[in-house]
Amino acid sequence: MAKVKKLRCVLCGREFDPKSDVFTCPDCGPDGTLDVLYDYDDVRQKFTSEALAKNKERSISRYIELLPLSDPAFFPNLKVGCSPLYESTYWAKKLGVKQVLIKDDGRNPTASFKDRASFIGVAKAKEKGATSIACASTGNAASSLAGCAAVAGLDCYIFVPEKAPVNKVTQLLIYGAKVFLVKGTYEDAFKLAVKAIDAYGWYNRNSAINPYLVEGKKTCGLELAEELSFDLPEKVFVSVGDGCIISSFYKAFYDLKQIGLISHIPQLIGVQAEGACPIYKAFKEGKDVIERKPTNTLADSIAVGEPRNWAKALRAVRNSGGDMVAVSDDEILEAMRLLARTSGVFGEPAGVTGFAGLLKYAQTGKLDSHERVAVIVTGNGLKDSESAKKAAGSPFLVEPTLEAVNRVLGSMI
Ligand SMILES: *Cc1c(COP(=O)(O)O)cnc(C)c1O
Ligand SMILES: [Zn+2]
């Protein structure tokens, strides 16, 4: 941990010793989430393009110089990260921009972006000598934690809202987690998890509170930069629920700027579902207040009515000169179909929300023809087959005869 210099409150700037166990700023309360800041002079010597070119590790531990752990022995033995980056000439042409890049983070070991955070969460728990770890989640944070904890031999306790998709709950159970299906919303599950974590002393993997988890998520931004030889696109489109993922992109680019590998931070475009868009609203109204409301969207992974990381998320969008978009459930389903049918990437609803945002943004005429854009697909479509079915349409039920096939094909003309 020598390289982590300090923790700093996103709201008031108060600094804390990384050796202290503080998760959020005592002066600002739970909204005062902390930034993990490194000894950048030291990191600059070690985190270089040359060193990365020689680095054979094909998981996020290749970025250990910019992660809050010193000993790779604590990392779970799972290949998290190094997800594929595709260039879509189809969408570049269609949207009239120079380049469209699609990063498929559904290709992580448990099929979502959240593995990046759980990987670090589990490693931090091991470093502290914890034997149990817990979180509340709409699904993916939990399934990734369950997977990483299973490999690391930690007991895992999960609180999910009752409405969580069946596939996601099944995934938790198969990894051997102890699952509490909470009768209520994500907020209810979150609050109960916090109480249980306090009562039982489990290690807390809740992303918005634990400052180290954004550091794991940040590796997607580091990968994007490395894959593009540190020549980043103008805009990055990301779906937003609690606001940790978008904050993590800002942090990745902030760190790279501190060590001189990039000269400016790309515009971050945060995309929320219309039925759960408090951060979008605060941004559009120029406010620093979050209106807490029940949610209504099929994109369960971003159905967050009380986002915990709004302060970092708003800072990410504002400081990068970015923007926010809100999309309807129909636009999300349409994006699921279009993305799969043009790029082969099958995302869950929240997974393709960034892409839905790109399509909507393009219609407003705010994209320039010289621009390069990247879209992050945050979760795999098989996570939520109910929603996928809504997007996909139905197959043809036929008698086992060629005639029946002919009839169907004939009716298509
Ligand atoms: C968690 C999640 C998000 C949103 O991330 P936040 O950090 O909550 O903003 C987006 N997509 C998927 C698939 C997720 O699991
Ligand atoms: Zn503070």
Side-chain angles (χ1 to χ4, degrees):
M1 276 275 276
K3 59 201 158 151
V4 176
K5 211 168 170 184
K6 55 198 173 194
L7 307 175
R8 188 163 65 203
C9 172
V10 64
L11 291 179
C12 74
R14 182 171 164 194
E15 295 181 348
F16 302 88
D17 186 323
K19 285 190 223 52
S20 69
D21 266 347
V22 55
F23 269 7
T24 54
C25 174
D27 294 342
C28 301
D31 285 343
T33 49
L34 306 181
D35 281 315
V36 176
L37 299 174
Y38 296 83
D39 180 347
Y40 291 107
D41 289 333
D42 183 48
V43 175
R44 194 175 298 125
Q45 312 298 320
K46 297 171 185 155
F47 197 99
T48 61
S49 327
E50 295 75 34
L52 287 170
K54 287 192 210 122
N55 188 330
K56 292 209 170 56
E57 178 55 44
R58 288 290 168 269
S59 83
I60 66 175
S61 36
R62 68 188 272 102
Y63 301 119
I64 189 161
E65 299 302 343
L66 263 179
L67 292 174
L69 280 117
S70 302
D71 188 351
F74 294 118
F75 290 138
N77 184 20
L78 265 186
K79 296 287 179 194
V80 170
C82 298
S83 63
L85 181 68
Y86 301 110
E87 180 175 355
S88 171
T89 49
Y90 173 89
W91 284 108
K93 210 166 149 200
K94 187 113 176 154
L95 302 178
V97 293
K98 191 166 159 200
Q99 190 179 47
V100 173
L101 298 160
I102 298 164
K103 189 148 173 76
D104 182 10
D105 243 56
R107 286 274 298 278
N108 268 302
T110 79
S112 87
F113 190 105
K114 297 287 195 294
D115 282 346
R116 297 177 183 275
S118 293
F119 187 87
I120 297 299
V122 162
K124 290 299 284 181
K126 296 281 274 189
E127 187 188 52
K128 281 188 76 80
T131 54
S132 308
I133 189 163
C135 80
S137 163
T138 48
N140 288 333
S143 43
S144 80
L145 182 64
C148 290
V151 188
L154 292 178
D155 284 336
C156 183
Y157 300 91
I158 309 282
F159 296 78
V160 287
E162 198 178 15
K163 269 199 312 195
V166 174
N167 302 19
K168 291 186 180 178
V169 176
T170 308
Q171 203 182 1
L172 298 175
L173 296 168
I174 205 80
Y175 287 129
K178 286 141 193 105
V179 183
F180 297 89
L181 211 55
V182 180
K183 296 184 183 173
T185 61
Y186 172 56
E187 280 69 42
D188 296 323
F190 189 93
K191 284 170 192 155
L192 181 57
V194 171
K195 279 187 201 155
I197 285 165
D198 269 357
Y200 293 96
W202 301 325
Y203 188 80
N204 186 347
R205 182 249 179 257
N206 285 327
S207 256
I209 288 181
N210 183 325
Y212 297 110
L213 297 176
V214 165
E215 295 302 298
K217 291 188 170 179
K218 158 185 100 174
T219 56
C220 191
L222 299 178
E223 271 169 34
L224 184 68
E226 189 191 356
E227 281 168 300
L228 299 172
S229 307
F230 301 95
D231 178 17
L232 284 160
E234 274 75 21
K235 290 187 170 71
V236 180
F237 287 78
V238 196
S239 54
V240 176
D242 259 325
C244 306
I245 294 186
I246 194 160
S247 310
S248 80
F249 276 90
Y250 182 75
K251 184 56 168 34
F253 301 149
Y254 173 89
D255 284 354
L256 291 175
K257 203 172 160 214
Q258 294 305 307
I259 59 174
L261 277 173
I262 62 171
S263 57
H264 84 285
I265 294 180
Q267 294 170 281
L268 292 167
I269 315 290
V271 189
Q272 293 208 283
E274 283 173 358
C277 61
I279 300 180
Y280 163 84
K281 276 210 180 112
F283 176 76
K284 288 294 174 188
E285 292 166 6
K287 288 188 185 154
D288 274 313
V289 183
I290 291 295
E291 197 181 304
R292 296 178 158 88
K293 269 201 338 198
T295 60
N296 179 23
T297 171
L298 59 72
D300 68 288
S301 302
I302 49 171
V304 184
E306 293 184 30
R308 319 276 151 189
N309 226 338
W310 60 267
K312 276 190 192 172
L314 282 175
R315 178 185 63 179
V317 178
R318 288 176 182 152
N319 285 8
S320 69
D323 205 344
M324 296 224 32
V325 190
V327 293
S328 68
D329 281 5
D330 281 344
E331 286 167 329
I332 291 172
L333 290 175
E334 173 77 354
M336 266 176 98
R337 271 189 300 272
L338 286 175
L339 187 65
R341 290 172 191 186
T342 53
S343 73
V345 174
F346 177 21
E348 67 165 293
V352 304
T353 295
F355 182 64
L358 169 64
L359 299 184
K360 192 153 183 178
Y361 202 79
Q363 287 166 9
T364 64
K366 284 198 239 173
L367 292 176
D368 278 351
S369 58
H370 68 269
E371 275 189 313
R372 296 158 64 213
V373 302
V375 175
I376 314 301
V377 178
T378 49
N380 188 284
L382 292 171
K383 287 270 192 174
D384 178 5
S385 50
E386 284 308 312
S387 295
K389 269 194 240 165
K390 282 188 198 140
S394 312
F396 307 106
L397 182 66
V398 291
E399 297 298 327
T401 65
L402 188 56
E403 243 170 36
V405 174
N406 287 344
R407 252 198 316 277
V408 170
L409 293 177
S411 71
M412 282 183 188
I413 300 162

